C-alpha cells in the first residue's frame, strides 16, 4: 500500500508521573506512574493514521524491550514501519503532569539521534503526498529528507519541536508548512524582548506580518488552549480551540495537531484551512485523554467534534 503521509522522526518510551503540583527544586512529591509509547515522530504518525490517512513511519530504535514493544505498537496501529536498529538505547522521555494537565519533559534521544539518510527508503518519499519532520532525530537528516521531498514534489511539513541550538535555518527554504508552538515561534523570531507574552499581545495582522518575514508559504502557530493562527501569503486565519472539553493531559497536543493536520491535507486535497481545522479538532480531543500516542483520536471522533462545533 502506498503511504500518503510519511513521518520521519523519533520514538520515545514515555515514562510519566502525574502529581498535584510539580515538585520544586530539592522537593520530593508522591505521584502516580504510567508508561507508554511516545516521541514526537511516532505520536504524529499515530495521529495521522488514526485520523484516516495511509501513513508510514521511519525511525530508529534500540535493540531493547522498549524498542521491541514500539515496533509491535506501531504495526498494530496499521502504520507502515521502516525501523532502523541502532546500538544505542531506545529514546525515552521523563514526563511530569500536574493536576491542570500541564507538563514538564526531559528527553534522552538515544537511537533517535542516529537516524541517518540511508535509513530512509527513497521510494517511500517519492510516492508520498506529505512528509513530516520534527527536531527529535538529527537536523542534518531533516535537510536531506526535505531536499529529496522537494525534488519529488512532496509537501514538506516541519514541526520545529523541540527548538534546538543547532537549528539550521536553511531548512526553512525547503519547508512548505511550518508548525511551531508559541515557544518555538518566539525562538524562531529570535528578537530581543519578543516573548510569549508579546506574541499573545500582537494583533492578528501584526502576527501575520511577522510570519510573512519568513520565506515559508504557510506558518501555523499553535497557541495551546487559545487555538492556532494560520498565515499564508494570501491572508491569515485564527482558529479557536474547541471549548467545553475536560482537559486531562495536554502532552502530545502539538503532535495530535501536526498528525491531524497532515491527514487533513490529504483528506481535503491540500486545503490548508480545512486541514488546520481538522488538526485543531484532533488536538482538542487528545487533551481529554491521558498519555501521548494512546490519546490520539479516531477519524470518527474528529468528524463528530467538527460537526458539533
Ligand atoms: P505539547 O508540547 O504539549 O505536545 P504544544 O505546545 O506543541 O503541545 P500547543 O500549542 O500547546 O502544542 O497545543 C496544540 C494544539 O492543541 C492547539 O493548537 C489546540 O488546537 C490544542 N489544544 C491545546 N490545549 C488545548 C485545550 N486546553 N483545549 C482545547 N484544545 C487544546
Ligand atoms: O510531544 C510529546 C512528546 O514529546 C512525548 O511523547 C515525549 O516523548 C516527547 O518527545
Amino acid at each position: 500500500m502506498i503511504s500518503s503521509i510519511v513521518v520521519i522522526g523519533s520514538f520515545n518510551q514515555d515514562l510519566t508521573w502525574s502529581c498535584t503540583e510539580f515538585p520544586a527544586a530539592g522537593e520530593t512529591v508522591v505521584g502516580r506512574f504510567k508508561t507508554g509509547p511516545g516521541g514526537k515522530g511516532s505520536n504524529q504518525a499515530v495521529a495521522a493514521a488514526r485520523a484516516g490517512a495511509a501513513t508510514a513511519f521511519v525511525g530508529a530504535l534500540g535493540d531493547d524491550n522498549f524498542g521491541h514493544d514500539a515496533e509491535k505498537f506501531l504495526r498494530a496501529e496499521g502504520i507502515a514501519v521502516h525501523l532502523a536498529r541502532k546500538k544505542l538505547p531506545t529514546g525515552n522521555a521523563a514526563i511530569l503532569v500536574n493536576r491542570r494537565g500541564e507538563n514538564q519533559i526531559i528527553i534522552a534521544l538515544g537511537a533517535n539521534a542516529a537516524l541517518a539518510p540511508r535509513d530512509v527508503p527513497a521510494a517511500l518519499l517519492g510516492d508520498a503526498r506529505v512528509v513530516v519532520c520534527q527536531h527529535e532525530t538529527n537536523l542534518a537528516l531533516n535537510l536531506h529528507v526535505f531536499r529529496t521531498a522537494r525534488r519529488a514534489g512532496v509537501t514538506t511539513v516541519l514541526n520545529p519541536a523541540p527548538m534546538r541550538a543547532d537549528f539550521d535555518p536553511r531548512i526553512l527554504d525547503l519547508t512548505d508548512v511550518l508548525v511551531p508552538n508559541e515557544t518555538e515561534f518566539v525562538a524562531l523570531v529570535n528578537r530581543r524582548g519578543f516573548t510569549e507574552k508579546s506574541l499573545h499581545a500582537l494583533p492578528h495582522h501584526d502576527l501575520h506580518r511577522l510570519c510573512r518575514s519568513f520565506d515559508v508559504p504557510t506558518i501555523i502557530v499553535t497557541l495551546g488552549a487559545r487555538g492556532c493562527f494560520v498565515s499564508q501569503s494570501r491572508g491569515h486565519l485564527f482558529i479557536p480551540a474547541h471549548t467545553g472539553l475536560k482537559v486531562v493531559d495536554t502532552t502530545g497536543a502539538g503532535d495530535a495537531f501536526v498528525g491531524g493536520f497532515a491527514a487533513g491535507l490529504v483528506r481535503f486535497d491540500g486545503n490548508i484551512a480545512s486541514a488546520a481545522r481538522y488538526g485543531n479538532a484532533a488536538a482538542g480531543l487528545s487533551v481529554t485523554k491521558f498519555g501521548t500516542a494512546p490519546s490520539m483520536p479516531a477519524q470518527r471522533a474528529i468528524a463528530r467534534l467538527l460537526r458539533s462545533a
Side-chain angles (χ1 to χ4, degrees):
M1 188 176 64
I2 289 178
S3 302
S4 314
I5 296 175
V6 177
V7 181
I8 298 180
S10 57
F11 175 88
N12 291 330
Q13 185 70 25
D14 284 351
L15 307 163
T16 306
W17 288 262
S18 346
C19 51
T20 309
E21 297 294 343
F22 296 135
E27 189 187 6
T28 302
V29 299
V30 176
R32 287 174 311 282
F33 175 75
K34 248 188 167 172
T35 185
K40 293 186 192 299
S42 171
N43 292 342
Q44 292 172 15
V46 171
R50 289 192 184 176
T55 303
F57 173 67
V58 182
L61 302 171
D63 189 10
D64 49 25
N65 288 343
F66 287 161
H68 297 143
D69 289 351
E71 178 164 1
K72 275 187 230 152
F73 169 73
L74 289 163
R75 286 191 190 283
E77 289 288 327
I79 294 169
V81 292
H82 302 268
L83 300 169
R85 295 280 170 185
K86 305 287 177 184
K87 287 192 181 111
L88 287 164
T90 296
N92 57 63
I95 304 178
L96 304 186
V97 179
N98 70 13
R99 67 173 160 189
R100 289 178 293 285
E102 298 161 336
N103 62 66
Q104 294 182 334
I105 305 179
I106 301 178
I107 54 170
L109 293 182
N112 294 308
L115 191 65
R118 66 175 175 281
D119 300 321
V120 184
L124 194 64
L125 283 179
D127 290 336
R129 290 184 61 185
V130 180
V131 64
V132 185
C133 287
Q134 325 72 28
H135 282 181
E136 279 188 343
T137 57
N138 73 75
L139 305 190
L141 170 75
N142 287 355
L143 264 177
H144 162 82
V145 166
F146 276 19
R147 277 196 192 110
T148 312
R150 262 289 159 87
R151 278 198 296 273
V154 179
T155 301
T156 55
V157 177
L158 179 67
N159 172 224
M163 186 41 83
R164 287 169 42 167
D166 58 342
F167 177 69
D168 182 345
R170 283 180 306 165
I171 193 137
L172 298 180
D173 298 337
L174 301 163
T175 301
D176 293 312
V177 186
L178 180 69
V179 191
N181 70 6
E182 295 149 307
T183 323
E184 291 139 14
F185 186 71
V186 167
L188 282 163
V189 170
N190 190 22
R191 204 178 278 170
R192 195 190 300 179
F194 185 69
T195 61
E196 285 185 37
K197 201 167 163 205
S198 26
L199 163 61
H200 295 154
L202 273 186
H204 286 165
H205 61 268
D206 288 340
L207 177 53
H208 178 53
R209 200 166 337 134
L210 193 52
C211 290
R212 288 301 95 215
S213 66
F214 295 91
D215 197 14
V216 176
T218 300
I219 297 190
I220 305 179
V221 187
T222 64
L223 301 166
R226 291 176 165 82
C228 67
F229 183 81
V230 182
S231 167
Q232 292 184 277
S233 51
R234 70 170 82 122
H236 59 89
L237 169 73
F238 171 72
I239 304 175
H242 289 270
T243 51
L245 303 165
K246 187 173 164 7
V247 180
V248 173
D249 177 8
T250 60
T251 322
D255 299 334
F257 187 97
V258 172
F261 170 76
L265 275 183
V266 175
R267 188 182 175 94
F268 303 109
D269 206 15
N271 184 310
I272 298 278
S274 302
R277 283 195 192 90
Y278 202 66
N280 189 57
L285 288 167
S286 79
V287 306
T288 64
K289 288 203 180 137
F290 192 81
T292 57
S295 73
M296 301 306 167
Q299 186 177 357
R300 222 177 304 152
I302 301 171
R304 205 180 310 126
L305 180 61
L306 283 169
R307 271 199 309 273
S308 71

